[in-house]
Amino acid sequence: MSPVALLFALASLSPADTAAASSAPPSSPAPSSPSQAAPAQTATPVPQEEIDDDAYDLGTLEVVTTARRGAALGDYEPELVLDEEQIKAYGASSIQELMTLLEPVTRSSRGGSPVFLVNGRRISGFREIRGIPPEAIERTEILPEETALSYGYSADQRVVNFVLKADFRSLTTQASVRRPEQGGRTLTQIDNNVLRIAGKQRWTLDLGYQNDSPLFETERNIRRDGVPYDLMGNITAPGGGEIDPALSALLGQSVTTASVGAGAGGGASLGDFGVGPRTDDLTAYRTLSPKRENSSITGSLVRDLNQTMSLTLSGELSDTTSFSYLGLPGLSLALPSTSPYSPFASDVLLHRYVDAPGALGRSSDTLSGQLGFLVDGYLGDWRWTVNGGYDRAETKTRTGRGLNNEALQAGVIAGVIDPFGDLGQLPTNPFDTARSVSSKSSIEGVINGTAWEGPAGSLTSTFKIGFDSQSLDSETLRFSEQEQTSVFSERSLSRDRTSASGNFNLPIANRDREVLGALGNLSANLNLAYEDLSDFGGLSAYTVGLNWSPWEPVNFNASWADEQKAPSMSQLNDPTLSTPNVPVYDFATGQSVTITRIEGGNPNLSEETKRVLKFGVNLTPLKDKDLRFTANYTRTETEGSIASFPTITPELEAALPERFTRDLDGNLLSIDARPLNFQKAEQQEIRWGLNFSTAFGKPDPAAMARMNARSGGGPRGSGAPGGAGAGARPGGGAPDGAPTVMRVEGGPPPGGAPGAGGPPPGGAVRMQAGGSSGPGGRGRGGGMMPGQGRFNVSLYHTYRIQDEITIRDGLPVLDLLDGAAIGARGGQSRNEVQLQMGAFKNGMGGFLNANWKESTRINGGSSPDDDLSFSDLTTVNLNLFADLSSRENLVSRYPWLKGTRVSLGVENIFDQRLDVRDGLGNTPLSYQPDYLDPMGRTFRISLRKILY
């Protein structure tokens, strides 16, 4: 059965088919005690005759709740909340694509990747949710790093909480094609997802395939200089100067470089040579981007074990292959005058390429698999989670090392090999091979709850204990030119880690409880963590923080973190790889050269210690508008900072001469780019910005009537896509202004803990009130009515105050903001601006993403001519999409268009490239625009079909 047919078969299943029997409403009589109450059901209007007997008329009440369904733990307010309509404005096809678009607002100034939650709960891994379509999301909350501590994570990661709809099912298929305007490379991707959500139960399956064609240097405007290589060849004198007076006389000028003619093979004469050099093939068989193919299958299952426990299982299998061409093997052969193939009166040098592209190719194959589980539930009022998994990845790499130069040279000197003939069948050097196998098994437990009830609120605590075992085995077979044989090396590294942490959040002042009410709301946070590593010993970390809201629209937070971190297994033990023909700029000679770059693990790395001070403020100035301002100041100091080896600068070569290999003439041959420890790194930055969202246009009464008819008079039907929880009030609700009766029964379900959007444990509450929109609605600024559109904008500015590195004590400090660099693209930009804008109406939408980085420079030496300047760079991406389902006239004529969406995208609309100049105004060859950005302006078209 094909993958598509399998997905269609799965799509035919109803949510009820996937639900456990235990989740069905019980048929037995109502429980006699609160502890035996059934799980809370979606609230429904109660008949008036049932209410009148035991309900008091309290008039119109405004109900205020402290959290919404699926809200994250902790006292920190979300920095950004996106509802269903706001998410539509991004035009994303999956959660994975949505997270790419949200990168500016999920980026942590502390460097960690985001933590992901679903309905306020931990998940077994991002693979569990990445293929879920955005249509299944009720809202998305982005919270500060301090929230991660409440879930047992470190405080260098922002938290992204996805609250999914209560009832949803879909089958999604998407095909995308990307191609740059200059051509040369086509990227094709097919993704399939099937999703079922039935209350607290969920399962999903993803099938993906991607194929990227290679992009060669010959398909871009790439220039190369250096030794005059060519497939036919060029002749020079061993010490430079004139090759042969007879050749100069024949060609009518002094010839220092001669090009080999087509008739030279089989017995050359002086007439077979012309004035050179010929360099037509310098870029032949060199890929700027490799050929790549990936296939993957991912699945997850979430289901209840009983009324208070749920289980999550997830897994993924992925296979990725790639092939890069590293150029043609080049030879410099000494041709003696005594050779039967030489017409010259003295010895000469022949420089030529050999038509054997596979001799310098690199192939890589990675097979990886992950399995994960998560069980969570309640122990009294405490929420607990146990999760674990097993990951394994095997990577095989094969790199060509060219032809056997010594054997070829010996044959030329002996006169048995014609150097001008066909050399493609000559023996090659043995290939370098590398194989690495990494594995990790882990298990950890987290428990969160109220340890003590204080005057200002509850002291909430989170405790975590975990154990994991990692191993990385690597084997390398590298050809040694000195020994003319392959040298085998093998390394094996394992690490067992035991960790424990505790997080405490203590309310100090509370305006609602009138405890130090003049201060507003004030709470303190403390996190303590310790881990013991079998190869590094004990490492500790702690974080302290304050969260203060003097009045409702303003929130301040401050934190101090001190943590020790060991290098990763891959940084320590990755196999060593040598990549030939890598272009770099050599400041010592002021030239672009091709070198051999050595990469891999460094077993001599030590741990790093990071200290982070952060101050933040959030401001929501307008109660009736969805407008939020945020600002954060962060200061980071890292001792023993671990980093990959940087670009070449005079300061770095002077400090780390052992990393550079040069010949006797000073020509750079290779760089050892394996990671290392810097003595210290210091950064300070301020990042501030705003998020604004509003509805626009006039409501359409006809569309409102159609929606009410479909949903039985309410805003949405609970069984339809976008049903329960997709903008309705918690537990359902009637339109604004209508009487509403809500009934909440039973203990805490797995989806909602006390204080996190769920009912109190064992409580039974019955309420009759007037319809007033509460926090469970659309949020600030109100909702979007049928016929209206939605506009989103976010603007962020990053100002870097300090970015300095000390390589070793006694050496000059590298100021990355003032002429130093540790990356190939120059120093660090002092200013960076990110802008996102999206609009959506009647199924049509667009999303624009713009990023600007300020110019930088590298001080190259004592002379200004040695400096390199890097221009500022502005990149703008645009995505336009049309949801054909919203065009009712079109769908009525062509029903198959229902659920179809077409997207057109342009990346780097203005085809902007980084412009690099030396002190004389020239662009070094290794900084050519097509090297730095070979894709340039790129177009994308996607066709997506979703079946509900």
Side-chain angles (χ1 to χ4, degrees):
M1 179 181 293
S2 68
V4 175
L6 173 61
L7 289 172
F8 272 102
L10 292 171
S12 65
L13 299 176
S14 67
D17 294 330
T18 63
S22 61
S23 67
S27 58
S28 58
S32 58
S33 66
S35 61
Q36 295 173 328
Q41 306 296 320
T42 301
T44 59
V46 180
Q48 187 67 32
E49 58 272 14
E50 182 180 338
I51 299 172
D52 292 338
D53 293 338
D54 56 358
Y56 294 95
D57 183 4
L58 300 178
T60 300
L61 301 179
E62 181 178 357
V63 181
V64 178
T65 180
T66 59
R68 291 179 285 180
R69 182 183 75 88
L73 300 173
D75 288 342
Y76 292 90
E77 288 293 321
E79 295 184 355
L80 177 63
V81 179
L82 301 174
D83 64 15
E84 180 183 358
E85 301 300 337
Q86 290 172 304
I87 293 172
K88 286 183 180 179
Y90 286 86
S93 299
S94 64
I95 284 182
Q96 183 173 20
E97 187 174 333
L98 178 64
M99 289 310 304
T100 300
L101 298 173
L102 290 175
E103 188 274 336
V105 295
T106 61
R107 176 192 300 181
S108 171
S109 58
R110 308 185 195 181
S113 57
V115 170
F116 299 101
L117 309 175
V118 170
N119 299 335
R121 300 161 67 179
R122 288 169 56 113
I123 59 175
S124 61
F126 184 62
R127 60 180 174 270
E128 178 186 330
I129 60 172
R130 68 184 179 195
I132 291 179
E135 287 88 346
I137 303 174
E138 176 181 320
R139 71 179 189 273
T140 300
E141 299 174 338
I142 299 171
L143 300 107
E145 293 89 340
E146 289 76 13
T147 304
L149 298 173
S150 296
Y151 289 89
Y153 297 104
S154 60
D156 63 347
Q157 305 166 280
R158 285 182 182 266
V159 175
V160 182
N161 181 29
F162 297 103
V163 180
L164 302 181
K165 295 176 181 177
D167 189 1
F168 189 88
R169 65 174 183 170
S170 66
L171 169 66
T172 308
T173 299
Q174 176 171 291
S176 303
V177 177
R178 294 175 58 222
R179 186 171 176 84
E181 182 184 40
Q182 295 176 267
R185 182 171 172 84
T186 302
L187 301 92
T188 306
Q189 185 171 348
I190 301 175
D191 296 297
N192 303 282
N193 170 268
V194 60
L195 170 67
R196 296 291 179 270
I197 303 176
K200 303 170 195 140
Q201 306 195 67
R202 179 180 79 249
W203 65 270
T204 183
L205 178 67
D206 299 291
L207 299 176
Y209 175 78
Q210 182 174 345
N211 187 294
D212 304 336
S213 63
L215 177 62
F216 291 90
E217 289 188 8
T218 52
E219 297 172 303
R220 291 295 183 265
N221 185 24
I222 298 292
R223 291 188 307 110
R224 282 183 178 268
D225 289 341
V227 179
Y229 285 120
D230 182 79
L231 276 172
M232 298 183 68
N234 294 284
I235 298 293
T236 63
E242 187 179 38
I243 297 173
D244 191 327
L247 179 62
S248 298
L250 178 64
L251 298 178
Q253 67 182 72
S254 178
V255 180
T256 57
T257 303
S259 59
V260 180
S269 64
L270 290 180
D272 294 321
F273 298 87
V275 178
R278 180 193 291 112
T279 57
D280 298 334
D281 306 305
L282 292 179
T283 59
Y285 288 101
R286 297 177 189 261
T287 50
L288 293 166
S289 300
K291 174 181 173 58
R292 183 176 179 273
E293 188 173 12
N294 171 264
S295 301
S296 64
I297 179 171
T298 308
S300 66
L301 171 67
V302 181
R303 60 187 304 127
D304 286 348
L305 297 178
N306 54 40
Q307 292 183 2
T308 61
M309 292 177 57
S310 67
L311 168 69
T312 300
L313 299 174
S314 65
E316 179 180 16
L317 184 64
S318 176
D319 182 49
T320 302
T321 61
S322 66
F323 189 88
S324 302
Y325 289 95
L326 305 178
L328 296 172
L331 304 172
S332 292
L333 299 173
L335 181 61
S337 58
T338 57
S339 171
Y341 302 103
S342 174
F344 304 107
S346 58
D347 295 347
V348 296
L349 293 176
L350 169 64
H351 312 279
R352 67 171 292 189
Y353 280 138
V354 178
D355 191 12
L360 285 180
R362 168 174 288 173
S363 62
S364 178
D365 187 3
T366 300
L367 180 64
S368 62
Q370 297 90 35
L371 293 173
F373 77 91
L374 183 146
V375 182
D376 65 350
Y378 286 88
L379 185 62
D381 295 345
W382 289 70
R383 174 191 288 181
W384 59 266
T385 301
V386 175
N387 65 284
Y390 177 77
D391 300 347
R392 186 182 189 276
E394 180 177 1
T395 300
K396 299 178 181 178
T397 305
R398 192 169 183 263
T399 306
R401 295 297 301 273
L403 301 178
N404 191 325
N405 293 3
E406 290 195 0
L408 181 58
Q409 181 65 73
V412 170
I413 293 176
V416 297
I417 294 179
D418 180 1
F420 304 116
D422 182 11
L423 302 180
Q425 302 303 315
L426 292 176
T428 63
N429 288 322
F431 279 66
D432 285 354
T433 60
R435 177 179 178 268
S436 66
V437 178
S438 64
S439 63
K440 178 181 179 180
S441 55
S442 62
I443 186 169
E444 66 179 16
V446 180
I447 187 168
N448 174 277
T450 300
W452 172 69
E453 186 67 32
S458 303
L459 170 65
T460 57
S461 307
T462 301
F463 300 97
K464 183 182 77 168
I465 186 169
F467 175 81
D468 61 68
S469 179
Q470 305 176 61
S471 67
L472 178 58
D473 302 320
S474 63
E475 300 174 354
T476 304
L477 189 65
R478 299 179 62 203
F479 178 71
S480 172
E481 295 184 357
Q482 292 78 12
E483 302 178 18
Q484 285 296 297
T485 186
S486 293
V487 179
F488 177 79
S489 62
E490 182 178 14
R491 290 192 306 196
S492 181
L493 184 65
S494 62
R495 171 185 293 172
D496 294 333
R497 182 176 69 108
T498 303
S499 62
S501 67
N503 182 72
F504 308 91
N505 192 75
L506 174 65
I508 299 173
N510 189 304
R511 69 170 69 91
D512 294 332
R513 297 193 179 194
E514 298 182 351
V515 177
L516 301 177
L519 296 177
N521 291 336
L522 176 65
S523 62
N525 181 275
L526 171 66
N527 180 267
L528 303 173
Y530 180 83
E531 59 182 12
D532 183 77
L533 283 69
S534 58
D535 55 338
F536 271 88
L539 302 175
S540 61
Y542 71 89
T543 302
V544 293
L546 288 175
N547 186 30
W548 179 40
S549 176
W551 60 92
E552 185 177 354
V554 180
N555 179 268
F556 297 96
N557 58 77
S559 65
W560 166 262
D562 187 313
E563 59 181 10
Q564 294 176 298
K565 182 180 179 182
S568 68
M569 297 282 287
S570 60
Q571 289 174 327
L572 290 168
N573 206 41
D574 268 351
T576 302
L577 299 177
S578 297
T579 306
N581 292 331
V582 177
V584 298
Y585 184 77
D586 184 5
F587 283 91
T589 61
Q591 296 178 346
S592 293
V593 295
T594 57
I595 63 165
T596 297
R597 183 179 178 90
I598 301 172
E599 299 168 295
N602 179 3
N604 298 317
L605 292 175
S606 60
E607 74 275 6
E608 65 178 21
T609 300
K610 180 179 292 187
R611 301 178 181 92
V612 182
L613 174 66
K614 178 190 172 185
F615 297 102
V617 58
N618 297 317
L619 174 63
T620 52
L622 304 176
K623 187 174 183 180
D624 59 342
K625 297 292 183 182
D626 192 0
L627 174 64
R628 184 183 295 269
F629 294 93
T630 64
N632 291 283
Y633 164 81
T634 306
R635 184 184 188 279
T636 304
E637 178 181 314
T638 308
E639 295 181 1
S641 173
I642 301 172
S644 296
F645 190 75
T647 188
I648 307 169
T649 62
E651 296 98 331
L652 289 172
E653 186 169 5
L656 302 164
E658 69 278 6
R659 293 289 185 128
F660 300 82
T661 301
R662 297 182 180 271
D663 61 18
L664 296 178
D665 296 326
N667 298 311
L668 186 64
L669 302 179
S670 69
I671 297 176
D672 185 349
R674 289 174 289 186
L676 75 165
N677 289 101
F678 291 128
Q679 184 72 25
K680 184 170 64 174
E682 296 177 281
Q683 297 92 25
Q684 294 185 71
E685 73 173 35
I686 297 174
R687 190 168 189 263
W688 65 283
L690 64 87
N691 291 281
F692 175 69
S693 176
T694 186
F696 66 89
K698 295 182 179 180
D700 184 351
M704 172 69 80
R706 288 193 298 268
M707 185 182 71
N708 286 341
R710 288 195 300 266
S711 61
R716 288 186 187 268
S718 63
R729 297 170 185 78
D736 288 347
T740 301
V741 174
M742 296 191 301
R743 174 179 292 158
V744 182
E745 297 177 324
V765 179
R766 189 174 182 182
M767 180 185 302
Q768 179 179 357
S772 176
S773 179
R778 293 288 185 184
R780 299 177 66 90
M784 191 176 88
M785 303 296 291
Q788 288 187 304
R790 169 69 69 173
F791 172 75
N792 295 337
V793 62
S794 67
L795 178 64
Y796 283 88
H797 172 224
T798 301
Y799 177 75
R800 296 180 176 91
I801 304 171
Q802 179 187 24
D803 198 339
E804 297 177 345
I805 289 177
T806 302
I807 300 178
R808 296 286 185 272
D809 284 337
L811 296 177
V813 175
L814 301 183
D815 188 348
L816 305 187
L817 298 173
D818 190 22
I822 61 169
R825 291 177 176 253
Q828 180 66 271
S829 297
R830 187 176 292 275
N831 289 280
E832 182 176 351
V833 177
Q834 293 173 299
L835 170 67
Q836 291 185 330
M837 298 175 63
F840 176 82
K841 184 178 181 181
N842 297 332
M844 310 288 288
F847 184 80
L848 183 141
N849 187 318
N851 189 79
W852 172 79
K853 292 184 178 181
E854 190 179 14
S855 59
T856 64
R857 76 178 194 279
I858 298 179
N859 296 330
S862 57
S863 172
D865 294 345
D866 298 330
D867 295 348
L868 286 182
S869 62
F870 296 76
S871 69
D872 57 0
L873 180 63
T874 302
T875 54
V876 181
N877 304 324
L878 177 66
N879 183 44
L880 302 174
F881 56 94
D883 185 356
L884 302 183
S885 293
S886 63
R887 323 305 294 183
E888 296 190 2
N889 293 336
L890 189 62
V891 173
S892 63
R893 294 173 57 189
Y894 306 102
W896 57 272
L897 290 177
K898 184 178 180 181
T900 301
R901 187 174 73 186
V902 179
S903 301
L904 298 174
V906 185
E907 300 173 14
N908 197 358
I909 294 177
F910 303 108
D911 200 23
Q912 295 294 296
R913 317 288 182 95
L914 194 64
D915 185 22
V916 184
R917 303 281 178 170
D918 60 21
L920 300 176
N922 302 316
T923 299
L925 296 183
S926 57
Y927 286 104
Q928 295 174 79
D930 282 336
Y931 266 141
L932 301 178
D933 183 8
M935 295 291 284
R937 184 186 293 118
T938 303
F939 296 91
R940 176 181 59 86
I941 183 170
S942 299
L943 180 63
R944 180 174 183 259
K945 178 75 170 180
I946 182 169
L947 302 176
Y948 295 105

